[in-house]
Amino acid sequence: MYIVKVVGIMRLSISKSKNATLFYIIKSTYIDKKHSTKIVEKLGTFEEVKAKAGNKDPYLWAKDYALKLTIKEKEGTRKIIKSYNQNQLIPKDVVINYNAGYLFLQKIYYNLKLNEICNSISDKYQFKFDLNDILSKLIYGRIIFPSSKLKTLEESNKFLENPNFEYQHIIRALEKICLESNFIQSELYKNSCDFKPRNNKVLYYDLTNFFFKIEQEDDLRKYGVSKENRPNPIVQFGLFMDADGIPLCCDINPGNTNENTTLKPLEEKIVKDFDLSTIVVCTDAGLASKANRKFNDTNTRKFITTQSVKQLKEEYKTWALDKKGWKVSNIPDKVIDISKLFTDKELSDKWKNTTFYKERWIKDNDLEQRLIVTFSLKYKNYQENIRNHQINRAQKLIDSNPKKIGKPKQNDFKRFIEIINTTDTGEVANEAYYSINQKVIDEESKYDGYYAVCTNLEDEAKEIVKVNHRRWEIEESFRIMKSEFKSRPAYLTREDRIKAHFLTCFLALVIYRYLEKELEEKYTAPEIIETLQNMNLTLKDGDYIPNYTRTELTDLLHKKFGFRTDYEIITEKNIKKICKETKN
């Protein structure tokens, strides 16, 4: 892309030939370190200008017109006329379409002062490549056109501001990004508190994993339990999120690491580096070991964790499933027998959207915690519908091709299939017999509608349950990283570069979440990202013409960020001004 510096003063230019005298309005430009001139408008022949001038001298009229255009240019009100030739080919191997969607991400990037973090690292290691340019392009690229590092470099040439680094610099930068991971995350947190207030009294923690298309393990990429049931080595990605859904920090562990051991080290780092002493940690049941609960059983650290009703001790399970003794939040003195909801249609309709609860303190291995169990007809119906759908799939498989049944996995619909390999007398049957296992259905249906959490907080039950239900946002963050950001599979091999890759994905997630908040959470991730991808400008003679559809979403983006890229035409000068403003 040529960098065009517009001097801005319009002047008259006259071209004479044997047949005609032509009048032009031109202005000086500075293109690729060379002075040149640009035709702003063709006024026509002497006779045509004379007709426009009326009683005024054509030459003086044309000079006055040039002066008026200069004033309008400075005011941003000049009408720009572009000429196109249907026989003229567009330039070969020259980019004429540039993405402007990244500018909204860039505004957040600089508000979070990630550029200053990069400058501190650059000063420390004294390397010559531009770490800030590399990191910012990796982040914008991860959101707008997720791809490999080499492809990201190529695609970055479609930004209004081109990259000033090479592929080798990306690789070297990844190594330093990994080394400074703790510094980057702690500084980012401090900067984010200056940018927007952080709702960090409740922190959510969860874990996912990312696969690699390899067969041989190494120190980091290990065979483990894949969330996507893939037969590939994986790495584990732990993420802390605040109560507003903004990511706080992340960590990468080998794929075979016990999930429950990942929380404590990352939480200790938060307490130390982020100066967060009073927090409530919210996790799902898979990360709620006794050790993790005890770690957060102090005066300053508390926990809320999902509790499987099925895995409760028998006395607590009996209490939880008892139909008597239930309360409603807005009627605290009323005790309800929920068994009547299953037999009385009028009561069922009345309470169909109500969440009932009961609570008690329990003690296990010197740990006192509060068990809160909820029940709702809406959740019961939801679970029944899912199970019925799975039973139908199981029956179809029995009817069509039972040999494909195999060994079922947890929550797999095949768990409802019973395989009988013996006769009534206990002998081995000639053929296996397949049927729907009613015992499994009856056992699972006992828990429909029930949901439990354990905590050491003494807040109202409804508030604790409400806090726990927000865990869906961290699960959605993982989905965005995997689907929209295409964070896996990663094709890097060195451990430090792999960790740096996932750190850039984390930073992209932080910036995206802030963008989502700015847009008042009105739009989905696919809608927002597709809009940013399509916000392209076409370069024509140093000026830019939008070639995307203006929508309510693009209007909201421009309103929230204080600049517009959707005028009919935008001068190079104004584009430079916008780019500069996004970095302030």
Side-chain angles (χ1 to χ4, degrees):
M1 172 184 171
Y2 288 125
I3 297 176
V4 182
K5 182 179 179 182
V6 180
V7 174
I9 298 176
M10 312 289 177
R11 63 182 189 276
L12 176 64
S13 175
I14 300 173
S15 174
K16 293 184 179 181
S17 66
K18 292 182 180 180
N19 299 321
T21 299
L22 297 174
F23 285 64
Y24 299 90
I25 302 298
I26 64 172
K27 67 177 178 180
S28 300
T29 61
Y30 189 66
I31 304 175
D32 196 25
K33 298 182 180 180
K34 294 181 181 179
H35 290 280
S36 184
T37 56
K38 171 185 173 182
I39 295 176
V40 174
E41 188 176 336
K42 181 180 178 181
L43 299 179
T45 63
F46 177 82
E47 288 73 18
E48 291 171 332
V49 173
K50 185 177 180 182
K52 294 176 183 178
N55 296 326
K56 197 170 185 178
D57 179 87
Y59 293 95
L60 292 177
W61 177 89
K63 288 182 179 180
D64 287 344
Y65 184 71
L67 179 60
K68 290 177 182 178
L69 288 184
T70 300
I71 294 171
K72 288 183 177 181
E73 174 90 352
K74 292 179 180 179
E75 294 174 345
T77 59
R78 178 175 71 87
K79 289 185 178 180
I80 299 175
I81 300 172
K82 294 289 179 184
S83 62
Y84 295 88
N85 189 336
Q86 61 184 349
N87 296 318
Q88 178 84 30
L89 294 174
I90 62 174
K92 190 175 183 180
D93 297 327
V94 174
V95 176
I96 61 172
N97 285 318
Y98 294 91
N99 179 270
Y102 81 96
L103 292 172
F104 304 99
L105 305 175
Q106 182 161 276
K107 182 74 172 176
I108 299 171
Y109 178 96
Y110 277 83
N111 280 334
L112 292 172
K113 300 178 183 178
L114 277 160
N115 59 311
E116 295 181 11
I117 295 173
C118 288
N119 292 339
S120 296
I121 297 172
S122 298
D123 291 342
K124 178 178 179 179
Y125 293 99
Q126 292 295 307
F127 41 66
K128 295 182 179 179
F129 56 82
D130 191 339
L131 179 62
N132 179 52
D133 195 31
I134 294 170
L135 181 61
S136 60
K137 296 298 191 296
L138 289 177
I139 291 172
Y140 309 154
R142 181 55 51 190
I143 299 172
I144 296 178
F145 37 70
S147 53
S148 68
K149 301 297 177 283
L150 180 60
K151 187 67 175 177
T152 298
L153 174 59
E154 295 173 3
E155 294 291 326
S156 293
N157 286 292
K158 296 179 182 178
F159 289 143
L160 289 166
E161 300 160 288
N162 290 170
N164 63 350
F165 53 86
E166 299 174 6
Y167 179 69
Q168 59 167 319
H169 299 137
I170 295 178
I171 298 302
R172 291 174 60 196
L174 290 176
E175 295 163 8
K176 301 306 180 192
I177 289 170
C178 177
L179 279 174
E180 297 297 327
S181 176
N182 289 343
F183 172 74
I184 292 171
Q185 293 188 61
S186 61
E187 288 298 300
L188 175 62
Y189 171 74
K190 294 172 187 174
N191 296 343
S192 70
C193 292
D194 294 333
F195 175 45
K196 303 276 186 181
R198 295 294 296 254
N199 191 354
N200 52 24
K201 297 303 180 184
V202 177
L203 304 182
Y204 297 83
Y205 180 74
D206 206 350
L207 197 73
T208 191
N209 47 55
F210 295 90
F211 73 92
F212 293 77
K213 287 188 175 180
I214 58 171
E215 294 183 3
Q216 187 65 42
E217 292 181 309
D218 55 28
D219 291 341
L220 181 64
R221 298 173 292 180
K222 295 284 189 181
Y223 283 106
V225 180
S226 172
K227 304 284 185 182
E228 301 166 75
N229 299 317
R230 289 181 176 270
N232 304 99
I234 57 176
V235 298
Q236 290 187 351
F237 181 88
L239 178 68
F240 263 107
M241 177 191 84
D242 72 14
D244 286 332
I246 306 296
L248 197 74
C249 68
C250 69
D251 197 17
I252 297 291
N253 291 293
N256 62 352
T257 306
N258 183 330
E259 287 188 350
N260 278 293
T261 65
T262 64
L263 184 145
K264 185 178 176 181
L266 192 55
E267 188 178 337
E268 287 176 331
K269 184 166 69 175
I270 288 176
V271 172
K272 178 185 175 184
D273 295 348
F274 294 12
D275 195 24
L276 293 177
S277 55
T278 305
I279 56 175
V280 177
V281 176
C282 188
T283 69
D284 67 8
L287 292 158
S289 67
K290 291 289 191 302
N292 285 340
R293 297 187 200 195
K294 284 187 175 181
F295 178 68
N296 285 307
D297 188 30
T298 70
N299 291 331
T300 56
R301 294 197 306 274
K302 305 296 180 182
F303 67 83
I304 302 173
T305 183
T306 305
Q307 173 64 55
S308 170
V309 177
K310 294 179 186 178
Q311 295 178 5
L312 285 170
K313 286 185 175 181
E314 200 59 39
E315 72 170 292
Y316 302 143
K317 187 190 298 184
T318 301
W319 168 82
L321 298 177
D322 190 344
K323 302 298 187 291
K324 297 178 181 178
W326 294 84
K327 296 181 179 181
V328 181
S329 296
N330 56 348
I331 319 175
D333 297 329
K334 187 176 181 65
V335 179
I336 297 170
D337 182 350
I338 62 172
S339 64
K340 296 177 182 179
L341 302 176
F342 309 142
T343 56
D344 190 323
K345 180 69 166 58
E346 187 177 339
L347 272 179
S348 176
D349 290 340
K350 177 183 178 181
W351 300 103
K352 63 181 179 181
N353 294 319
T354 302
T355 298
F356 303 91
Y357 76 93
K358 60 168 61 175
E359 59 178 311
R360 63 176 290 177
W361 284 88
I362 62 176
K363 188 171 184 179
D364 189 15
N365 294 337
D366 298 325
L367 176 65
E368 283 194 74
Q369 50 189 328
R370 189 166 157 220
L371 174 61
I372 302 171
V373 184
T374 66
F375 174 83
S376 75
L377 287 171
K378 192 173 183 180
Y379 187 44
K380 180 178 185 293
N381 294 333
Y382 169 76
Q383 290 179 302
E384 285 178 345
N385 289 335
I386 290 178
R387 185 172 55 256
N388 289 336
H389 178 69
Q390 291 180 322
I391 291 170
N392 290 335
R393 290 183 65 191
Q395 187 62 59
K396 285 180 181 179
L397 184 58
I398 290 172
D399 296 339
S400 61
N401 194 355
K403 291 182 180 180
K404 283 190 174 181
I405 291 174
K407 186 178 180 181
K409 295 177 181 177
Q410 187 180 19
N411 298 325
D412 191 342
F413 72 94
K414 297 175 187 176
R415 71 187 184 278
F416 295 116
I417 300 175
E418 182 180 19
I419 305 174
I420 301 175
N421 294 302
T422 59
T423 64
D424 293 339
T425 60
E427 297 177 353
V428 177
N430 292 328
E431 292 185 6
Y433 175 72
Y434 302 90
S435 65
I436 297 298
N437 194 329
Q438 189 60 43
K439 289 182 180 178
V440 174
I441 296 173
D442 293 341
E443 178 61 25
E444 288 196 10
S445 63
K446 291 194 308 185
Y447 303 97
D448 287 350
Y450 295 93
Y451 187 87
V453 297
C454 280
T455 183
N456 54 356
L457 288 169
E458 297 184 7
D459 301 56
E460 285 189 37
K462 67 174 183 178
E463 295 301 324
I464 291 172
V465 172
K466 183 179 177 181
V467 166
N468 185 67
H469 280 171
R470 293 210 64 177
R471 286 191 307 101
W472 66 268
E473 287 190 276
I474 198 166
E475 293 168 359
E476 185 191 48
S477 292
F478 291 149
R479 184 196 61 75
I480 290 171
M481 288 181 68
K482 292 180 178 182
S483 299
E484 273 66 47
F485 292 0
K486 295 180 173 59
S487 301
R488 87 291 188 245
Y491 296 99
L492 299 161
T493 55
R494 275 182 43 167
E495 181 174 325
D496 55 352
R497 296 171 186 172
I498 292 170
K499 288 184 175 181
H501 162 73
F502 286 110
L503 180 59
T504 61
C505 295
F506 163 80
L507 297 174
L509 183 64
V510 173
I511 288 175
Y512 168 76
R513 282 301 196 190
Y514 274 117
L515 175 64
E516 199 174 53
K517 296 292 180 185
E518 286 293 325
L519 297 175
E520 302 166 6
E521 299 180 326
K522 290 182 177 180
Y523 302 92
T524 64
E527 288 174 329
I528 294 171
I529 292 171
E530 184 179 5
T531 297
L532 297 180
Q533 290 170 341
N534 293 332
M535 293 186 76
N536 294 320
L537 308 177
T538 299
L539 180 63
K540 174 66 176 176
D541 297 331
D543 297 316
Y544 293 86
I545 303 168
N547 62 1
Y548 61 87
T549 303
R550 181 185 167 197
T551 64
E552 288 185 5
L553 175 50
T554 63
D555 279 353
L556 185 58
L557 279 166
H558 290 124
K559 177 183 177 182
K560 292 292 184 177
F561 286 85
F563 63 85
R564 302 203 73 97
T565 64
D566 54 358
Y567 293 113
E568 289 184 355
I569 195 165
I570 312 169
T571 65
E572 177 78 11
K573 179 180 179 181
N574 284 335
I575 284 293
K576 285 185 176 182
K577 182 180 178 182
I578 291 170
C579 291
K580 185 177 180 180
E581 286 175 354
T582 61
K583 297 178 180 179
N584 288 336

